[in-house]
Amino acid sequence: MIKNLESIYKPVQYLGAKTRSLDSIVSECSRLHKKDSYVVDLFSGSSLVSQALYLNDMPVIANDVMRFCFDMSTCLLNVSKTKDSTKLLRKAIKEVSSYDIDPDFINPFRFYMTQEENLLRQKDLYGLKDLYSQLPVISNETLDSSNQVLFIKDNFGREAFNSAPLITNYYSGSYFGIRQSIRLDAIRTYIELYYREYSDEWVYSAMLTALYSTLSAIVHSAGKHFAQPISITDFDKDKITNIRLFENRSFNADELFVGFLEDILSKTHNGGFIPSCISSCYDVQDNSFANLLEDKAISVMYADPPYTAQQYSRFYHIPEVIRNYRYPQLQQFRGHITQGLYPDNKFKSDFCSKTKAKDAFRVVFGLVKKAQCNFILSYSESKKNTTGNERMVTRDDILALAEEYIPKYKAKQLKFDFDYRQLNSSAKVVHDKEDKEFLIIFEKR
């Protein structure tokens, strides 16, 4: 059993998180780990594996191409934490709920905010649907653009701090409530101002991590990810999605945010005993990532890459946009903004491309070969390739690449007795499928 399981902090609901296989992953990494060397978590995601390795005395290099994932691993591996960090974070906990953005930016939404509160209290689904259809947000194409929306359209790519609030103008009335969105904008602005004043990297990452936890808790979407919001399509108050709408809209963003900060302090207060942990934000195919590993002693690489055509950036575009806090131009389909409100430049992984995935895996095996380290790969096979979950590379492809790059390594497989979670909509899920998740372990002889 892994140690310190109670100290792992789950920052967001993350598809493919390795909660159930942590014991096996950590056990295998620990068996292969050599003293004074790193374990590299190539696709760290929500950081659960990196945290488990760290809490079991293994220095970690946690990497992910998405910036919000980088923040979570920076925070939860205590990267850049100083002796003043805890005191600074406690100060922020006391201050943040009293911070407001400029009233001029809030005023156009005050009427809608009051109406929303009344309708939520009355559980009036008809009223809410009508209210949201009148909300002056960027995705509402039936209305003339408000002054704030006109400003945003003239300033795509510009930072939104001390300007038209990004979350409110993009995501209120869909992913989040109106008051919730205004408070999320205030919290995000406070985080940035606090960082500019005190320049503490760990405190910055901790506050951002708590913000991502808040987003994940209150978002009104299937599975608590951000692929698309759940719309009000009927008015049955007993329908599960409508029940959850009222639950999600009832959350107080400030209370959640402060509570998550307290949780983070509690989970990380004994941290710092492995000061050499590193958090990085690279595409693993970039030379910059190879350069980062160049002078490091590495005994194990662990990889849990995406395997299907489903892009993770589709499910987590909102925390990434809020992290960058620049007005995104929204993707359009047939001349209209998509329901998911996706930015038009969201990251697309080569691992999710049938034509590019094998070459992407070549790069990973090249990193393993260069580091001369052990390699552990999480994998699952799809037995029903018609579901949309077809694997971009097969297990045979992977074994063939291993034979090409690391032919002297010993390969074994460790199977689990639980199913791989499909990313499809419920209409496309095949319930009698038997996809199984397992580890492929490539061990130096």
Side-chain angles (χ1 to χ4, degrees), residues 138 152 156-157 166 170-171 321 326-330 341-345:
I138 194 166
I152 289 169
F156 287 133
L166 187 156
Y170 278 79
Y171 308 128
V321 165
R326 294 177 179 273
Y327 301 121
Q329 188 160 0
L330 295 179
L341 309 180
Y342 309 120
D344 68 355
N345 62 345

Side-chain angles (χ1 to χ4, degrees), residues 254-294:
D254 289 285
E255 290 178 1
L256 284 175
F257 179 71
V258 168
F260 287 130
L261 283 178
E262 294 282 8
D263 287 348
I264 288 168
L265 274 177
S266 173
K267 298 288 188 183
T268 59
H269 75 285
N270 289 326
F273 55 90
I274 308 180
S276 55
C277 284
I278 295 169
S279 180
S280 60
C281 186
Y282 295 114
D283 184 333
V284 297
Q285 298 179 83
D286 286 352
N287 288 333
S288 298
F289 183 64
N291 293 338
L292 171 68
L293 303 184
E294 187 75 38

Side-chain angles (χ1 to χ4, degrees), residues 48-108:
L48 294 191
V49 170
S50 289
Q51 286 184 68
L53 295 168
Y54 167 64
L55 292 166
N56 282 265
D57 308 321
M58 284 171 272
V60 182
I61 298 174
N63 178 75
D64 201 281
V65 72
M66 298 188 79
R67 195 76 185 176
F68 87 101
C69 295
F70 162 80
D71 295 325
M72 293 187 292
S73 59
T74 299
C75 167
L76 297 164
L77 299 180
N78 284 305
V79 176
S80 302
K81 194 173 186 180
T82 71
K83 60 182 178 59
D84 295 324
S85 294
T86 297
K87 181 173 67 176
L88 280 173
L89 193 56
R90 291 201 180 281
K91 180 177 183 293
I93 287 171
K94 293 178 182 178
E95 293 178 354
V96 62
S97 297
S98 61
Y99 178 80
D100 288 313
I101 55 178
D102 189 325
D104 287 344
F105 295 130
I106 302 174
N107 287 337

Side-chain angles (χ1 to χ4, degrees), residues 263-437:
D263 287 348
I264 288 168
L265 274 177
S266 173
K267 298 288 188 183
T268 59
H269 75 285
N270 289 326
F273 55 90
I274 308 180
S276 55
C277 284
I278 295 169
S279 180
S280 60
C281 186
Y282 295 114
D283 184 333
V284 297
Q285 298 179 83
D286 286 352
N287 288 333
S288 298
F289 183 64
N291 293 338
L292 171 68
L293 303 184
E294 187 75 38
D295 60 347
K296 308 293 189 302
I298 298 166
S299 55
V300 187
M301 283 192 195
Y302 167 73
D304 180 29
Y307 286 101
T308 74
Q310 300 278 10
Q311 292 279 353
Y312 268 62
S313 59
R314 173 175 174 252
F315 295 92
Y316 298 101
H317 60 103
I318 287 182
E320 192 75 349
V321 165
I322 291 173
R323 201 288 180 193
N324 296 326
Y325 211 66
R326 294 177 179 273
Y327 301 121
Q329 188 160 0
L330 295 179
Q331 186 181 90
Q332 295 194 1
F333 179 70
R334 294 179 178 172
H336 297 285
I337 293 170
T338 62
Q339 185 178 347
L341 309 180
Y342 309 120
D344 68 355
N345 62 345
K346 68 181 186 293
F347 175 76
K348 293 184 178 180
S349 172
D350 286 354
F351 290 89
C352 299
S353 165
K354 193 77 170 177
T355 59
K356 298 177 181 177
K358 193 175 290 189
D359 283 340
F361 270 95
R362 288 183 182 278
V363 174
V364 170
F365 275 101
L367 293 172
V368 173
K369 179 180 180 179
K370 189 168 185 178
Q372 285 294 290
C373 62
N374 302 288
F375 183 38
I376 299 176
L377 183 68
S378 283
Y379 188 74
S380 69
E381 281 190 321
S382 174
K383 299 197 175 184
K384 302 277 189 179
N385 285 341
T386 60
T387 66
N389 261 15
E390 179 186 0
R391 301 304 180 252
M392 299 297 99
V393 293
T394 67
R395 177 166 46 176
D396 287 344
D397 290 333
I398 289 170
L399 295 176
L401 287 172
E403 184 63 28
E404 178 182 347
Y405 281 86
I406 47 174
K408 295 183 179 180
Y409 280 46
K410 178 175 65 175
K412 72 174 184 178
Q413 297 177 27
L414 179 62
K415 293 188 177 182
F416 303 114
D417 60 359
F418 48 81
D419 291 339
Y420 180 82
R421 184 176 181 182
Q422 298 183 69
L423 305 190
N424 297 34
S425 69
S426 59
K428 294 181 180 178
V429 168
V430 176
H431 294 284
D432 64 350
K433 62 188 283 300
E434 297 180 350
D435 300 358
K436 292 296 182 182
E437 187 173 332

